[in-house]
Amino acid sequence: MADFGYDISDFCGIDPRFGTLDSFDALVREAHARGLRIILDFVPNHTSDRHPWFVQSRAARSDPRRDWYIWRDPAPGGGPPNNWLGNFGGPAWTFDAATGQYYGHSFLKEQPDLNWRNPEVRAAMYEVLRFWLRRGVDGFRVDVLSQIVKDAQFRDNPPNPDFTPDQDPFLRLLMLYNTDLPEVQPIVAEMRRVVDAFSDARSSRVLIGELYLPLARLVAYYGLNAEGVLEGVQLPFNFQLIATEWKAAHIDRFVRDYEAALPANAQPNWVLGNHDRARIASRVGPRMARLAAMLLLTLRGTPTLYYGDEIGMTDVPIPADEVQDPFEKNKPGMGLGRDPERTPMQWSAAAHAGFTTGTPWLRLAADWPTRNVDAQSRDAGSMLALYRHLIALRRAQPALNRGSYEALEAEGDVLAFARNHEGLRLVVLLNFGDTPAPVSPALMPRQPVVLASTDPARAGVIEGPLVLGPCEGVVIGTVNGEAPATR
Ligand code: GLC
């Protein structure tokens, strides 16, 4: 738990803190019985330093597992082999006095990097995938996928010309030689073949890549090959809604660029939050978080939402003596710590918000007695009600769940687009401003009807000109059209 589950000492076990393989099997069984899929986090880049492979690897230079990890001699004058940095602070190298070499780690020194150039490592890790696929998992989210191969010559990374001293010191260098190397792509294709072997006509298994990359590089992970087949991950995580400035014009630009950059038949995807970044409600504020929900669930592609965001949970300030995350501990006060977005899910007004009967390792948000699933289930105006409505609408409307995306020209702070499917057309209008926004009649379908609004008071047929409220978003269909209201 040096990095809360990302330092794995047994890839084919369940940490006893969380259960057993039997309870895992029961989870998969019960989830499947309810039409839910289970996707595991697969961490290929590194293991724990307590993993038996690493224990063997560090035992002696001659150990058969030595080359399973990245071992290098000290630089000629002594010191680390090159200038690479660890994400969580300090160099990406730790000296092992017993064998006189450094081992590489992209993250903590407790997380030594595997050597994916070694075919035995690849075979062993593919066996890990098969182990869980045989147990019925539906796919994997693949951790730091772009970093699994390092430069064969271990060249120094160049300085980042845009670095400013207030930033995370890790950003001082560009990761030219330890991320997104061409050698990653064939490995991704291998992983895909392993996973595809478990797909059948009824259901396919999915790979989702964690990739913080510029657009052109991101879409490369769909793995379009010379025959026009996509052999990469089905979903390279698209983190733009986390990264882009929260302005209609920026998001509009990115959506258009993304749509244009996707290879044919690639499934787009959108991510609103995750366990490494500030929560959406804290980033954009509670009102705008409702708009963000509508954006996520109306854009074309697979949406990913982070637990708790559907009830509007916010980042929780963690006092210094309760900090858990090594990111915060190693670089205190820079706002890098991820504990604030990892607090217990707020289920109910019961003890510990119904999350556990034990003591959670992070404190609850102050608002848990009122902001919880139970309370919001009974409130038609709640964030949860909005999410449920949008998800139901998305399921019911082919235009939303499989329609094409059509960018529309809107003015000011409004983002506008349409989703079309076989003559069905829905228009989505999102006001990113905090003042009312009149909508040009040219954007409206004939006989418009509101199918969803972030404003619980708005519903029904639209008569006359539409003026969106501050931070209001609407999904508009057509009266008697193919797009009946679901509520
Ligand atoms: C990924 C995970 C993050 C973890 C890191 C190292 O970025 O999302 O939580 O700390 O990889 O495994």
Side-chain angles (χ1 to χ4, degrees), residues 3 6 46 88 107 141 143-144 210 275-276 338 342:
D3 185 23
Y6 288 98
H46 44 268
F88 294 145
F107 294 87
R141 173 265 191 200
D143 195 58
V144 289
E210 189 208 17
H275 63 293
D276 296 325
R338 301 163 299 176
R342 295 178 174 185

Side-chain angles (χ1 to χ4, degrees), residues 247-475:
K247 296 243 164 67
H250 286 94
I251 294 179
D252 186 41
R253 181 76 266 151
F254 186 82
V255 180
R256 292 172 193 236
D257 291 349
Y258 182 65
E259 285 280 344
L262 290 169
N265 299 322
Q267 167 76 356
N269 78 94
W270 296 94
V271 183
L272 204 52
N274 65 30
H275 63 293
D276 296 325
R277 301 292 158 124
R279 283 188 180 277
I280 183 72
S282 291
R283 277 188 277 126
V284 303
R287 254 199 326 186
M288 196 63 99
R290 294 174 69 87
L291 187 88
M294 183 171 281
L295 175 67
L296 176 74
L297 292 164
T298 54
L299 283 172
R300 187 173 80 93
T302 304
T304 298
L305 68 107
Y306 183 50
Y307 87 85
D309 285 352
E310 74 276 41
I311 56 169
M313 279 174 64
T314 49
D315 293 344
V316 179
I318 304 294
D321 61 343
E322 292 175 21
V323 167
Q324 306 286 338
D325 186 12
F327 213 167
E328 179 68 30
K329 286 183 178 165
N330 294 352
K331 307 184 200 183
M334 299 198 73
L336 298 171
R338 301 163 299 176
D339 293 334
E341 62 265 24
R342 295 178 174 185
T343 61
M345 178 65 183
Q346 296 160 202
W347 290 107
S348 70
H352 302 308
F355 177 75
T356 178
T357 50
T359 308
W361 70 62
L362 288 169
R363 58 166 59 203
L364 287 158
D367 62 3
W368 71 270
T370 50
R371 184 182 296 284
N372 58 59
V373 173
D374 199 26
Q376 292 200 8
S377 294
R378 285 179 271 110
D379 173 3
S382 68
M383 182 71 120
L384 185 60
L386 175 65
Y387 264 102
R388 285 184 171 154
H389 178 63
L390 289 168
I391 290 170
L393 189 65
R394 204 186 146 85
R395 289 213 169 124
Q397 298 287 346
L400 283 183
N401 63 47
R402 72 190 82 118
S404 63
Y405 168 87
E406 179 195 344
L408 298 176
E409 304 300 329
E411 276 159 32
D413 292 326
V414 175
L415 173 64
F417 55 91
R419 301 291 312 279
N420 303 301
H421 181 73
E422 295 178 354
L424 306 180
R425 176 182 177 83
L426 299 183
V427 174
V428 181
L429 301 165
L430 305 164
N431 179 10
F432 280 70
D434 49 18
T435 52
V439 174
S440 154
L443 292 177
M444 302 294 278
R446 258 184 301 153
Q447 296 190 286
V449 61
V450 173
L451 302 183
S453 168
T454 55
D455 175 359
R458 187 187 303 266
V461 174
I462 303 176
E463 321 253 6
L466 172 66
V467 179
L468 295 174
C471 307
E472 189 191 3
V474 290
V475 181

Side-chain angles (χ1 to χ4, degrees), residues 44-274:
N45 182 68
H46 44 268
T47 71
S48 161
D49 60 349
R50 303 194 197 165
H51 195 294
W53 297 343
F54 187 69
V55 173
Q56 289 169 29
S57 183
R58 83 185 309 174
R61 288 196 189 202
S62 59
D63 190 277
R65 288 245 158 84
R66 185 67 168 184
D67 185 54
W68 281 41
Y69 291 82
I70 297 180
W71 290 99
R72 303 289 292 169
D73 288 333
N82 67 20
N83 72 350
W84 296 356
L85 299 170
N87 268 267
F88 294 145
W93 299 99
T94 290
F95 188 61
D96 179 63
T99 57
Q101 283 189 311
Y102 281 84
Y103 65 88
H105 49 86
S106 303
F107 294 87
L108 297 171
K109 68 176 181 353
E110 292 85 358
Q111 295 167 293
D113 285 359
L114 283 165
N115 175 15
W116 274 79
R117 291 181 184 273
N118 182 325
E120 290 177 23
V121 167
R122 296 213 292 274
M125 291 302 275
Y126 300 152
E127 266 316 300
V128 171
L129 292 175
R130 292 188 191 102
F131 174 87
W132 295 106
L133 289 162
R134 277 186 218 108
R135 296 195 103 88
V137 305
D138 299 289
F140 303 90
R141 173 265 191 200
V142 188
D143 195 58
V144 289
L145 180 57
S146 59
Q147 294 183 41
I148 59 177
V149 184
K150 281 83 187 168
D151 182 39
Q153 298 168 53
F154 292 92
R155 282 168 280 188
D156 274 352
N157 275 330
N160 171 5
D162 300 326
F163 177 72
T164 53
D166 55 313
Q167 287 180 312
D168 177 355
F170 175 73
L171 301 175
R172 203 155 51 72
L173 302 177
L174 297 175
M175 293 179 74
L176 185 63
Y177 292 116
N178 52 355
T179 197
D180 191 28
L181 300 192
E183 292 93 325
V184 180
Q185 300 295 335
I187 295 179
V188 175
E190 278 178 5
M191 280 184 196
R192 174 68 183 270
R193 283 197 289 277
V194 171
V195 169
D196 275 354
F198 287 80
S199 296
D200 54 36
R202 228 167 21 86
S203 77
S204 62
R205 315 286 178 107
V206 69
L207 285 176
I208 307 170
E210 189 208 17
L211 299 155
Y212 287 95
L213 292 173
L215 180 54
R217 292 307 312 151
L218 177 67
V219 296
Y221 283 76
Y222 284 104
L224 180 64
N225 70 13
E227 287 81 52
V229 175
L230 302 178
E231 57 175 17
V233 295
Q234 288 98 326
L235 300 174
F237 260 149
N238 165 10
F239 292 127
Q240 278 306 312
L241 297 182
I242 298 181
T244 306
E245 208 185 328
W246 200 255
K247 296 243 164 67
H250 286 94
I251 294 179
D252 186 41
R253 181 76 266 151
F254 186 82
V255 180
R256 292 172 193 236
D257 291 349
Y258 182 65
E259 285 280 344
L262 290 169
N265 299 322
Q267 167 76 356
N269 78 94
W270 296 94
V271 183
L272 204 52
N274 65 30

